[in-house]
Amino acid sequence: MRTTIREIAAMKRRGERISMITAYDYTSARIVEAAGVDIILVGDSLGQVVLGYDSTVPVTMDDMLHHIKAVVRGTNKVHIVGDLPFMSYQASEVEAIRNAGRLLKEGGAQSVKLEGGRQVADTMRRIVQAGIPVMAHIGLTPQAVNQLGGYRIQGKTTRTAIELIEDAKAVEDAGAFAIVLEGVPSQLAGIITARLTIPTIGIGAGVHCDGQVQVFHDMMGLYTDFTPKHARKYAHLAELMYDAVAEYIRDVRVQSFPSEDESFTLSPAVLAELTGDPQVAAQGER
Ligand code: KIV
């Protein structure tokens, strides 16, 4: 059995910090699970870091299902949250429930995440009532980039901070089991965390949240187009990979790759038959 939402809730009660990382494929999901992360988010950030779009807006249900399935195949124990992409839950509650259900039924995720506060609380409630655990996501909500006018920190004024506190309460009341706080001032995240019974998981929201989430490609130094202020690089894989590829190209050009050890050989007898030259066979025997 994978980590359940009850176990995640208990971590907050015990004061244990929750670690969440995004993953989008079999190989990285295996590594992330083996390292002991609490939750994997198959985020729609895959639109940028895997598919090369300039926002998460173009990501589809098919994209999400494709990547969620790969992550599920690479893991056994970890709780997997599947992101509902833009316009998969906004048009109607029925469509939202159906799409959320697909991420569990076809994808194999244990829960879904969707962006928004009070405006999506009713939809969230319906999805939870259908038996699908929901993680909420408020603050800087990337799917709303066109409405927010860019990737801006949210809740910096008294009015907008109060609105975010109300959003957080609304999604908790709607039955969300956890909430991502993205791009909000650290003190505001602390106030929200103290007022909610469900865990808060921050990204660019300071240290007072119950947990943290990072985008795999940011923390590995793999995505070089842009590094957000909140991202800490735990590795510099882009440089390592560049050097490895450059070395491979050099080795191919000077024929030092592949070596004998990396090659397969014919038996001397077959070689002699193929070439009709017994000396070739004798050489093969040496
Ligand atoms: O899609 C994603 O990776 C996310 C995180 C930034 C929380 O939503």
Side-chain angles (χ1 to χ4, degrees):
M1 177 94 184
R2 290 174 184 267
T3 306
T4 63
I5 59 170
R6 286 169 68 91
E7 287 162 335
I8 294 163
M11 289 180 76
K12 174 162 181 150
R13 287 199 298 277
R14 292 196 297 264
E16 285 170 30
R17 289 298 200 240
I18 299 163
S19 60
M20 180 160 97
I21 303 176
T22 67
Y24 316 101
D25 65 77
Y26 173 86
T27 302
S28 60
R30 276 177 69 112
I31 295 168
V32 166
E33 178 176 72
V37 78
D38 298 306
I39 305 174
I40 288 181
L41 167 67
V42 187
D44 62 354
S45 50
L46 67 84
Q48 284 142 307
V49 301
V50 178
L51 301 179
Y53 296 131
D54 64 1
S55 78
T56 58
V57 170
V59 175
T60 64
M61 278 295 294
D62 285 346
D63 293 333
M64 292 310 304
L65 283 165
H66 180 74
H67 288 274
I68 291 168
K69 286 179 190 174
V71 169
V72 169
R73 284 193 292 269
T75 54
N76 300 303
K77 296 259 173 238
V78 70
H79 183 100
I80 295 171
V81 182
D83 235 350
L84 279 166
F86 182 57
M87 287 319 292
S88 67
Y89 56 94
Q90 289 92 341
S92 79
E93 288 180 4
V94 171
E95 206 169 277
I97 295 168
R98 198 159 283 140
N99 282 325
R102 288 188 71 197
L103 297 191
L104 269 62
K105 218 170 143 72
E106 294 173 41
Q110 282 69 62
S111 61
V112 302
K113 177 169 81 57
L114 59 100
E115 297 183 6
R118 284 158 295 173
Q119 78 278 22
V120 293
D122 287 340
T123 303
M124 225 173 250
R125 184 172 287 105
R126 292 292 311 280
I127 297 174
V128 173
Q129 280 166 355
I132 300 165
V134 175
M135 179 178 279
H137 182 163
I138 65 166
L140 195 176
T141 45
Q143 290 176 11
V145 59
N146 293 306
Q147 201 165 35
L148 298 175
Y151 298 101
R152 300 167 188 281
I153 301 302
Q154 303 293 304
K156 283 167 71 170
T157 64
T158 310
R159 182 182 59 79
T160 57
I162 289 170
E163 280 172 7
L164 278 183
I165 294 169
E166 287 171 0
D167 282 336
K169 287 299 288 175
V171 297
E172 177 173 71
D173 291 346
F177 75 91
I179 178 170
V180 169
L181 302 180
E182 177 165 359
V184 302
S186 171
Q187 303 93 325
L188 175 59
I191 293 169
I192 293 173
T193 300
R195 291 193 190 178
L196 297 185
T197 57
I198 58 172
T200 58
I201 302 184
I203 178 163
V207 77
H208 306 299
C209 298
D210 298 305
Q212 297 292 328
V213 54
Q214 284 283 285
V215 170
F216 183 86
H217 289 58
D218 289 340
M219 60 184 293
M220 296 301 164
L222 261 177
Y223 183 70
T224 52
D225 290 12
F226 169 69
T227 305
K229 173 178 154 74
H230 61 68
R232 184 180 293 182
K233 281 190 186 171
Y234 286 86
H236 298 273
L237 295 194
E239 282 96 322
L240 273 179
M241 288 166 79
Y242 177 94
D243 289 347
V245 174
E247 194 177 332
Y248 163 74
I249 294 167
R250 255 192 326 269
D251 288 351
V252 169
R253 287 184 181 154
V254 302
Q255 295 177 50
S256 72
F257 177 84
S259 67
E260 295 260 318
D261 283 351
E262 289 154 337
S263 305
F264 305 92
T265 49
L266 284 172
S267 75
V270 173
L271 197 54
E273 270 174 9
L274 284 177
T275 58
D277 181 353
Q279 285 211 325
V280 173
Q283 278 164 16
E285 270 158 9
R286 276 206 295 270

PDB file of all heavy atoms in Angstrom, residues 20 22 24 41-46 56 83 113 115 137 142 180 182 201 203 213-215 230, ligand 1:
ATOM      1  N   MET A  20       8.145  16.809  -0.720  1.00  0.00           N
ATOM      2  CA  MET A  20       7.472  16.463  -1.985  1.00  0.00           C
ATOM      3  C   MET A  20       8.389  16.931  -3.121  1.00  0.00           C
ATOM      4  O   MET A  20       9.010  18.002  -3.021  1.00  0.00           O
ATOM      5  CB  MET A  20       6.097  17.136  -2.050  1.00  0.00           C
ATOM      6  CG  MET A  20       5.315  16.845  -3.305  1.00  0.00           C
ATOM      7  SD  MET A  20       3.524  17.157  -3.088  1.00  0.00           S
ATOM      8  CE  MET A  20       3.356  18.805  -3.774  1.00  0.00           C
ATOM      9  N   THR A  22       8.695  16.839  -7.627  1.00  0.00           N
ATOM     10  CA  THR A  22       8.035  16.437  -8.868  1.00  0.00           C
ATOM     11  C   THR A  22       8.866  15.344  -9.547  1.00  0.00           C
ATOM     12  O   THR A  22      10.078  15.260  -9.353  1.00  0.00           O
ATOM     13  CB  THR A  22       7.887  17.611  -9.858  1.00  0.00           C
ATOM     14  OG1 THR A  22       9.186  18.010 -10.311  1.00  0.00           O
ATOM     15  CG2 THR A  22       7.155  18.783  -9.233  1.00  0.00           C
ATOM     16  N   TYR A  24       8.534  12.980 -13.491  1.00  0.00           N
ATOM     17  CA  TYR A  24       7.716  12.873 -14.701  1.00  0.00           C
ATOM     18  C   TYR A  24       7.978  11.599 -15.494  1.00  0.00           C
ATOM     19  O   TYR A  24       7.336  11.367 -16.512  1.00  0.00           O
ATOM     20  CB  TYR A  24       7.990  14.078 -15.628  1.00  0.00           C
ATOM     21  CG  TYR A  24       8.054  15.391 -14.888  1.00  0.00           C
ATOM     22  CD1 TYR A  24       9.285  15.978 -14.585  1.00  0.00           C
ATOM     23  CD2 TYR A  24       6.895  16.032 -14.463  1.00  0.00           C
ATOM     24  CE1 TYR A  24       9.357  17.181 -13.894  1.00  0.00           C
ATOM     25  CE2 TYR A  24       6.956  17.233 -13.773  1.00  0.00           C
ATOM     26  CZ  TYR A  24       8.194  17.798 -13.494  1.00  0.00           C
ATOM     27  OH  TYR A  24       8.253  18.981 -12.804  1.00  0.00           O
ATOM     28  N   LEU A  41       4.871  14.522  -6.859  1.00  0.00           N
ATOM     29  CA  LEU A  41       3.869  15.257  -7.633  1.00  0.00           C
ATOM     30  C   LEU A  41       4.223  15.135  -9.112  1.00  0.00           C
ATOM     31  O   LEU A  41       5.326  15.547  -9.509  1.00  0.00           O
ATOM     32  CB  LEU A  41       3.864  16.736  -7.218  1.00  0.00           C
ATOM     33  CG  LEU A  41       3.102  17.688  -8.158  1.00  0.00           C
ATOM     34  CD1 LEU A  41       1.603  17.395  -8.123  1.00  0.00           C
ATOM     35  CD2 LEU A  41       3.364  19.150  -7.767  1.00  0.00           C
ATOM     36  N   VAL A  42       3.331  14.545  -9.886  1.00  0.00           N
ATOM     37  CA  VAL A  42       3.521  14.616 -11.339  1.00  0.00           C
ATOM     38  C   VAL A  42       2.858  15.926 -11.748  1.00  0.00           C
ATOM     39  O   VAL A  42       1.636  15.998 -11.931  1.00  0.00           O
ATOM     40  CB  VAL A  42       2.912  13.401 -12.067  1.00  0.00           C
ATOM     41  CG1 VAL A  42       3.284  13.435 -13.545  1.00  0.00           C
ATOM     42  CG2 VAL A  42       3.401  12.101 -11.428  1.00  0.00           C
ATOM     43  N   GLY A  43       3.661  16.966 -11.757  1.00  0.00           N
ATOM     44  CA  GLY A  43       3.134  18.321 -11.914  1.00  0.00           C
ATOM     45  C   GLY A  43       2.981  18.681 -13.384  1.00  0.00           C
ATOM     46  O   GLY A  43       3.684  18.151 -14.254  1.00  0.00           O
ATOM     47  N   ASP A  44       2.088  19.640 -13.635  1.00  0.00           N
ATOM     48  CA  ASP A  44       1.958  20.109 -15.022  1.00  0.00           C
ATOM     49  C   ASP A  44       3.138  21.002 -15.398  1.00  0.00           C
ATOM     50  O   ASP A  44       3.248  21.447 -16.541  1.00  0.00           O
ATOM     51  CB  ASP A  44       0.609  20.801 -15.270  1.00  0.00           C
ATOM     52  CG  ASP A  44       0.412  22.038 -14.418  1.00  0.00           C
ATOM     53  OD1 ASP A  44       1.259  22.317 -13.549  1.00  0.00           O
ATOM     54  OD2 ASP A  44      -0.610  22.733 -14.619  1.00  0.00           O
ATOM     55  N   SER A  45       4.056  21.229 -14.433  1.00  0.00           N
ATOM     56  CA  SER A  45       5.320  21.894 -14.760  1.00  0.00           C
ATOM     57  C   SER A  45       6.072  21.091 -15.827  1.00  0.00           C
ATOM     58  O   SER A  45       7.015  21.603 -16.427  1.00  0.00           O
ATOM     59  CB  SER A  45       6.187  22.053 -13.506  1.00  0.00           C
ATOM     60  OG  SER A  45       6.298  20.821 -12.803  1.00  0.00           O
ATOM     61  N   LEU A  46       5.667  19.846 -16.061  1.00  0.00           N
ATOM     62  CA  LEU A  46       6.271  19.057 -17.134  1.00  0.00           C
ATOM     63  C   LEU A  46       6.110  19.770 -18.473  1.00  0.00           C
ATOM     64  O   LEU A  46       6.892  19.553 -19.406  1.00  0.00           O
ATOM     65  CB  LEU A  46       5.693  17.637 -17.171  1.00  0.00           C
ATOM     66  CG  LEU A  46       4.218  17.403 -17.560  1.00  0.00           C
ATOM     67  CD1 LEU A  46       4.021  17.347 -19.073  1.00  0.00           C
ATOM     68  CD2 LEU A  46       3.714  16.122 -16.947  1.00  0.00           C
ATOM     69  N   THR A  56       2.426  26.366 -18.362  1.00  0.00           N
ATOM     70  CA  THR A  56       1.724  25.087 -18.169  1.00  0.00           C
ATOM     71  C   THR A  56       0.385  25.059 -18.927  1.00  0.00           C
ATOM     72  O   THR A  56      -0.272  24.020 -18.963  1.00  0.00           O
ATOM     73  CB  THR A  56       1.448  24.841 -16.665  1.00  0.00           C
ATOM     74  OG1 THR A  56       0.683  25.932 -16.149  1.00  0.00           O
ATOM     75  CG2 THR A  56       2.735  24.701 -15.876  1.00  0.00           C
ATOM     76  N   ASP A  83      -1.388  16.136 -11.291  1.00  0.00           N
ATOM     77  CA  ASP A  83      -1.910  17.497 -11.506  1.00  0.00           C
ATOM     78  C   ASP A  83      -3.020  17.489 -12.546  1.00  0.00           C
ATOM     79  O   ASP A  83      -2.865  16.878 -13.620  1.00  0.00           O
ATOM     80  CB  ASP A  83      -0.772  18.375 -12.039  1.00  0.00           C
ATOM     81  CG  ASP A  83      -0.551  19.606 -11.197  1.00  0.00           C
ATOM     82  OD1 ASP A  83      -1.374  19.906 -10.316  1.00  0.00           O
ATOM     83  OD2 ASP A  83       0.480  20.271 -11.427  1.00  0.00           O
ATOM     84  N   LYS A 113      -4.264  17.196  -7.874  1.00  0.00           N
ATOM     85  CA  LYS A 113      -4.070  18.567  -7.410  1.00  0.00           C
ATOM     86  C   LYS A 113      -4.729  19.505  -8.405  1.00  0.00           C
ATOM     87  O   LYS A 113      -4.664  19.275  -9.616  1.00  0.00           O
ATOM     88  CB  LYS A 113      -2.584  18.898  -7.283  1.00  0.00           C
ATOM     89  CG  LYS A 113      -2.308  20.356  -6.856  1.00  0.00           C
ATOM     90  CD  LYS A 113      -0.883  20.576  -6.477  1.00  0.00           C
ATOM     91  CE  LYS A 113       0.050  20.788  -7.628  1.00  0.00           C
ATOM     92  NZ  LYS A 113      -0.283  21.908  -8.532  1.00  0.00           N
ATOM     93  N   GLU A 115      -5.612  23.940  -9.037  1.00  0.00           N
ATOM     94  CA  GLU A 115      -5.252  25.294  -8.625  1.00  0.00           C
ATOM     95  C   GLU A 115      -6.484  26.139  -8.348  1.00  0.00           C
ATOM     96  O   GLU A 115      -7.475  26.049  -9.094  1.00  0.00           O
ATOM     97  CB  GLU A 115      -4.400  25.955  -9.714  1.00  0.00           C
ATOM     98  CG  GLU A 115      -3.078  25.241  -9.947  1.00  0.00           C
ATOM     99  CD  GLU A 115      -2.195  25.944 -10.985  1.00  0.00           C
ATOM    100  OE1 GLU A 115      -2.553  27.055 -11.447  1.00  0.00           O
ATOM    101  OE2 GLU A 115      -1.148  25.367 -11.322  1.00  0.00           O
ATOM    102  N   HIS A 137      -4.023  24.169  -4.294  1.00  0.00           N
ATOM    103  CA  HIS A 137      -2.825  24.933  -4.706  1.00  0.00           C
ATOM    104  C   HIS A 137      -3.251  26.390  -4.839  1.00  0.00           C
ATOM    105  O   HIS A 137      -4.032  26.717  -5.733  1.00  0.00           O
ATOM    106  CB  HIS A 137      -2.324  24.359  -6.038  1.00  0.00           C
ATOM    107  CG  HIS A 137      -1.076  24.988  -6.566  1.00  0.00           C
ATOM    108  ND1 HIS A 137      -0.311  24.386  -7.549  1.00  0.00           N
ATOM    109  CD2 HIS A 137      -0.435  26.147  -6.276  1.00  0.00           C
ATOM    110  CE1 HIS A 137       0.730  25.144  -7.837  1.00  0.00           C
ATOM    111  NE2 HIS A 137       0.664  26.247  -7.085  1.00  0.00           N
ATOM    112  N   PRO A 142       0.356  28.879 -11.430  1.00  0.00           N
ATOM    113  CA  PRO A 142       0.919  29.081 -12.780  1.00  0.00           C
ATOM    114  C   PRO A 142      -0.093  28.974 -13.919  1.00  0.00           C
ATOM    115  O   PRO A 142       0.082  29.617 -14.960  1.00  0.00           O
ATOM    116  CB  PRO A 142       1.982  27.990 -12.884  1.00  0.00           C
ATOM    117  CG  PRO A 142       2.377  27.699 -11.467  1.00  0.00           C
ATOM    118  CD  PRO A 142       1.123  27.869 -10.665  1.00  0.00           C
ATOM    119  N   VAL A 180      -0.877  23.264  -1.430  1.00  0.00           N
ATOM    120  CA  VAL A 180       0.384  23.877  -1.867  1.00  0.00           C
ATOM    121  C   VAL A 180       0.231  25.394  -1.763  1.00  0.00           C
ATOM    122  O   VAL A 180      -0.762  25.956  -2.239  1.00  0.00           O
ATOM    123  CB  VAL A 180       0.737  23.469  -3.320  1.00  0.00           C
ATOM    124  CG1 VAL A 180       1.888  24.310  -3.865  1.00  0.00           C
ATOM    125  CG2 VAL A 180       1.076  21.987  -3.396  1.00  0.00           C
ATOM    126  N   GLU A 182       2.179  28.521  -3.082  1.00  0.00           N
ATOM    127  CA  GLU A 182       3.275  28.877  -3.992  1.00  0.00           C
ATOM    128  C   GLU A 182       3.431  30.387  -4.074  1.00  0.00           C
ATOM    129  O   GLU A 182       2.448  31.120  -4.262  1.00  0.00           O
ATOM    130  CB  GLU A 182       3.011  28.308  -5.403  1.00  0.00           C
ATOM    131  CG  GLU A 182       4.091  28.731  -6.389  1.00  0.00           C
ATOM    132  CD  GLU A 182       4.128  27.953  -7.688  1.00  0.00           C
ATOM    133  OE1 GLU A 182       3.323  27.018  -7.873  1.00  0.00           O
ATOM    134  OE2 GLU A 182       4.998  28.289  -8.526  1.00  0.00           O
ATOM    135  N   ILE A 201       2.140  22.803   2.015  1.00  0.00           N
ATOM    136  CA  ILE A 201       3.397  22.410   1.367  1.00  0.00           C
ATOM    137  C   ILE A 201       3.833  23.599   0.515  1.00  0.00           C
ATOM    138  O   ILE A 201       3.115  24.015  -0.393  1.00  0.00           O
ATOM    139  CB  ILE A 201       3.194  21.141   0.508  1.00  0.00           C
ATOM    140  CG1 ILE A 201       2.671  20.018   1.420  1.00  0.00           C
ATOM    141  CG2 ILE A 201       4.495  20.736  -0.178  1.00  0.00           C
ATOM    142  CD1 ILE A 201       2.505  18.678   0.763  1.00  0.00           C
ATOM    143  N   ILE A 203       6.255  26.230  -1.808  1.00  0.00           N
ATOM    144  CA  ILE A 203       7.279  26.406  -2.852  1.00  0.00           C
ATOM    145  C   ILE A 203       7.392  27.919  -3.022  1.00  0.00           C
ATOM    146  O   ILE A 203       6.430  28.587  -3.388  1.00  0.00           O
ATOM    147  CB  ILE A 203       6.950  25.647  -4.160  1.00  0.00           C
ATOM    148  CG1 ILE A 203       8.028  25.916  -5.217  1.00  0.00           C
ATOM    149  CG2 ILE A 203       5.551  25.911  -4.691  1.00  0.00           C
ATOM    150  CD1 ILE A 203       8.052  24.930  -6.371  1.00  0.00           C
ATOM    151  N   VAL A 213       7.966  21.602  -1.505  1.00  0.00           N
ATOM    152  CA  VAL A 213       7.986  20.915  -2.800  1.00  0.00           C
ATOM    153  C   VAL A 213       8.969  21.647  -3.711  1.00  0.00           C
ATOM    154  O   VAL A 213       9.057  22.877  -3.672  1.00  0.00           O
ATOM    155  CB  VAL A 213       6.582  20.816  -3.456  1.00  0.00           C
ATOM    156  CG1 VAL A 213       5.884  22.153  -3.583  1.00  0.00           C
ATOM    157  CG2 VAL A 213       6.658  20.123  -4.825  1.00  0.00           C
ATOM    158  N   GLN A 214       9.707  20.878  -4.484  1.00  0.00           N
ATOM    159  CA  GLN A 214      10.602  21.452  -5.477  1.00  0.00           C
ATOM    160  C   GLN A 214      10.396  20.735  -6.814  1.00  0.00           C
ATOM    161  O   GLN A 214      10.015  19.554  -6.847  1.00  0.00           O
ATOM    162  CB  GLN A 214      12.066  21.288  -5.045  1.00  0.00           C
ATOM    163  CG  GLN A 214      12.481  22.264  -3.946  1.00  0.00           C
ATOM    164  CD  GLN A 214      12.729  23.674  -4.472  1.00  0.00           C
ATOM    165  OE1 GLN A 214      13.737  23.952  -5.108  1.00  0.00           O
ATOM    166  NE2 GLN A 214      11.790  24.579  -4.222  1.00  0.00           N
ATOM    167  N   VAL A 215      10.648  21.465  -7.882  1.00  0.00           N
ATOM    168  CA  VAL A 215      10.598  20.880  -9.225  1.00  0.00           C
ATOM    169  C   VAL A 215      11.931  20.150  -9.465  1.00  0.00           C
ATOM    170  O   VAL A 215      13.008  20.728  -9.306  1.00  0.00           O
ATOM    171  CB  VAL A 215      10.349  21.986 -10.281  1.00  0.00           C
ATOM    172  CG1 VAL A 215      10.547  21.453 -11.699  1.00  0.00           C
ATOM    173  CG2 VAL A 215       8.946  22.563 -10.114  1.00  0.00           C
ATOM    174  N   HIS A 230      13.310  30.725  -5.502  1.00  0.00           N
ATOM    175  CA  HIS A 230      13.066  29.763  -4.422  1.00  0.00           C
ATOM    176  C   HIS A 230      13.738  28.426  -4.642  1.00  0.00           C
ATOM    177  O   HIS A 230      13.735  27.576  -3.767  1.00  0.00           O
ATOM    178  CB  HIS A 230      11.557  29.532  -4.244  1.00  0.00           C
ATOM    179  CG  HIS A 230      10.881  28.976  -5.463  1.00  0.00           C
ATOM    180  ND1 HIS A 230      11.120  27.709  -5.916  1.00  0.00           N
ATOM    181  CD2 HIS A 230      10.001  29.525  -6.323  1.00  0.00           C
ATOM    182  CE1 HIS A 230      10.401  27.497  -7.005  1.00  0.00           C
ATOM    183  NE2 HIS A 230       9.720  28.585  -7.284  1.00  0.00           N
TER     184      HIS A 230
HETATM  185  O1  KIV B   1       3.337  21.577 -11.536  1.00  0.00           O
HETATM  186  C1  KIV B   1       4.077  21.682 -10.554  1.00  0.00           C
HETATM  187  O2  KIV B   1       5.238  21.261 -10.546  1.00  0.00           O
HETATM  188  C2  KIV B   1       3.527  22.333  -9.375  1.00  0.00           C
HETATM  189  C3  KIV B   1       4.478  22.677  -8.279  1.00  0.00           C
HETATM  190  C4  KIV B   1       5.231  23.890  -8.631  1.00  0.00           C
HETATM  191  C5  KIV B   1       3.788  22.790  -6.971  1.00  0.00           C
HETATM  192  O3  KIV B   1       2.373  22.610  -9.334  1.00  0.00           O
END
